[in-house]
Amino acid sequence: MDDKVNVTFILIDGYVELHKYRYLYFVMMLTVYILVICSNSTIVYLIWNHQNLHEPMYIFIAALLINSVLFSTVNYPKLLIDFLSERQIISYPACLFQFQMFYSLSASEFLLLAAMSYDRYVSICKPLQYQTIMTKTNVNVLLVVAWLVPTCQIAVFIVLIAKKKLCAFTFKGIMCNSTIQTLHCVRTTLLNVYGLVVLVNVVIFPIIFILFTYTRIFIITYRNSREVRRKAAQTCLPHLIVLINFSCLSVYDVLLLRIGTEFPKSVRFIMTLQMLIYHPLFNPIIYGLKMKEIYKHLKSLFCKMP
């Protein structure tokens, strides 16, 4: 690449034997992308179409699934283009946009899960106050906060790094994540500190809040009958499974990459694909099979098909 191209474009060097498996990668990822869109959209449609699912818990589930669709739509088209391209490159502005959307939507996942845990806490621990607390207005406020707060905080980070000079133009990954900072000529303490603040605000605090609310739910339901415990587990367990799944996948990107550990290219590639493939498909499966009301409508929908 000449000097003019180097200023604008970054070479993506995270694919493993792309020349050999490009068509296999393309077919596999296109299939997964279609499955992600169809599975998540189907459950969102069921929630939107059935009046008995117009409750805060299901609205938050729909928001979570929409978040998965947005997350996949930001990342999959670029991957599919790369698989069929002779040179895998991305402009620096486009890389920053992908960074913004990747982390904003990932952080929104944690905040939406926190909102869902609060909804379950009020429903189980304060049932008489549920209707007055979880009003339509309050639900909308929680949704706006879950999407807006991460977007604004990550946007500040983007502004801070947008004008930093690049001294390297080869990126050891397949999508722009936190390691984009390794391309900068100088890594500043300010960015590291601000990144840590954002991590605490949109990841650590929500996880602590979720663990606190579910602990309270466990303590209160433990004192009640077996039927109460069963119903609580039925609604809370899927949320906890999704939280554990997403947290484990996020550890690699948020922590391991930030400490500068050098992983083999194949490990980086596989771990990134785990994040892109596993979680967006995991959510609709868990909520579709584990949430009784959704499963009932889902079963009815497929039974009606010829």
Side-chain angles (χ1 to χ4, degrees):
M1 287 193 270
D2 57 36
D3 293 337
K4 185 176 180 181
V5 174
N6 280 347
V7 172
T8 307
F9 290 94
I10 296 170
L11 176 65
I12 300 173
D13 188 33
Y15 295 102
V16 177
E17 297 191 36
L18 184 58
H19 62 285
K20 185 177 181 180
Y21 298 112
R22 67 172 67 247
Y23 297 111
L24 175 62
Y25 288 153
F26 180 84
V27 172
M28 181 184 74
M29 294 304 288
L30 179 61
T31 302
V32 171
Y33 185 42
I34 293 171
L35 288 174
V36 167
I37 299 296
C38 292
S39 59
N40 285 276
S41 298
T42 298
I43 297 181
V44 171
Y45 165 76
L46 291 176
I47 293 172
W48 174 77
N49 195 49
H50 293 88
Q51 192 66 36
N52 69 320
L53 299 181
H54 292 183
E55 298 178 5
M57 178 176 66
Y58 298 110
I59 292 172
F60 288 131
I61 290 175
L64 201 68
L65 300 180
I66 291 171
N67 202 69
S68 293
V69 171
L70 293 174
F71 179 84
S72 299
T73 301
V74 167
N75 297 297
Y76 275 73
K78 176 64 174 113
L79 289 176
L80 295 174
I81 292 171
D82 283 345
F83 292 147
L84 299 181
S85 301
E86 290 300 319
R87 304 176 77 183
Q88 292 71 46
I89 59 175
I90 186 171
S91 69
Y92 189 52
C95 186
L96 293 180
F97 174 76
Q98 189 179 59
F99 182 104
Q100 165 78 39
M101 298 304 295
F102 177 81
Y103 285 110
S104 295
L105 293 170
S106 297
S108 294
E109 189 98 3
F110 286 104
L111 292 177
L112 287 170
L113 287 169
M116 294 164 74
S117 71
Y118 178 68
D119 172 72
R120 291 300 83 206
Y121 170 76
V122 176
S123 174
I124 295 170
C125 302
K126 300 182 179 181
L128 298 180
Q129 303 175 43
Y130 184 78
Q131 295 300 328
T132 57
I133 295 177
M134 298 305 296
T135 63
K136 185 177 180 180
T137 299
N138 289 341
V139 170
N140 290 335
V141 168
L142 289 173
L143 290 175
V144 170
V145 167
W147 273 310
L148 190 59
V149 169
T151 300
C152 293
Q153 294 196 2
I154 301 298
V156 173
F157 192 86
I158 294 297
V159 171
L160 292 174
I161 68 174
K163 294 183 179 181
K164 290 184 69 66
K165 185 178 180 181
L166 299 180
C167 283
F169 303 94
T170 300
F171 179 66
K172 297 180 180 180
I174 63 175
M175 57 189 302
C176 296
N177 56 14
S178 59
T179 54
I180 193 68
Q181 296 179 67
T182 60
L183 304 182
H184 297 152
C185 297
V186 179
R187 297 184 65 179
T188 62
T189 303
L190 175 63
L191 285 177
N192 291 332
V193 171
Y194 183 76
L196 181 61
V197 170
V198 174
L199 175 66
V200 170
N201 286 342
V202 299
V203 177
I204 305 300
F205 281 164
I207 289 177
I208 292 174
F209 178 78
I210 292 169
L211 294 177
F212 169 77
T213 54
Y214 283 122
T215 300
R216 290 292 300 161
I217 290 172
F218 172 77
I219 292 172
I220 290 175
T221 55
Y222 182 78
R223 300 169 183 168
N224 286 280
S225 65
R226 180 177 296 181
E227 181 64 19
V228 173
R229 293 198 295 269
R230 186 187 65 81
K231 289 183 178 180
Q234 191 177 56
T235 58
C236 294
L237 188 59
H239 306 326
L240 284 173
I241 293 174
V242 170
L243 173 67
I244 294 169
N245 168 67
F246 193 65
S247 297
C248 291
L249 292 175
S250 299
V251 162
Y252 168 76
D253 183 87
V254 176
L255 296 178
L256 298 182
L257 287 180
R258 289 182 67 86
I259 64 176
T261 304
E262 282 295 326
F263 291 95
K265 182 187 288 189
S266 58
V267 173
R268 289 175 178 264
F269 184 57
I270 291 172
M271 290 302 296
T272 305
L273 286 183
Q274 286 275 333
M275 187 84 170
L276 294 173
I277 295 175
Y278 187 55
H279 187 67
L281 284 176
F282 186 76
N283 279 358
I285 292 173
I286 286 296
Y287 290 119
L289 297 180
K290 294 295 184 180
M291 301 300 289
K292 184 177 179 181
E293 290 299 318
I294 294 178
Y295 177 73
K296 182 173 67 176
H297 290 298
L298 194 62
K299 186 177 179 181
S300 177
L301 176 66
F302 284 107
C303 288
K304 290 179 182 178
M305 291 183 177

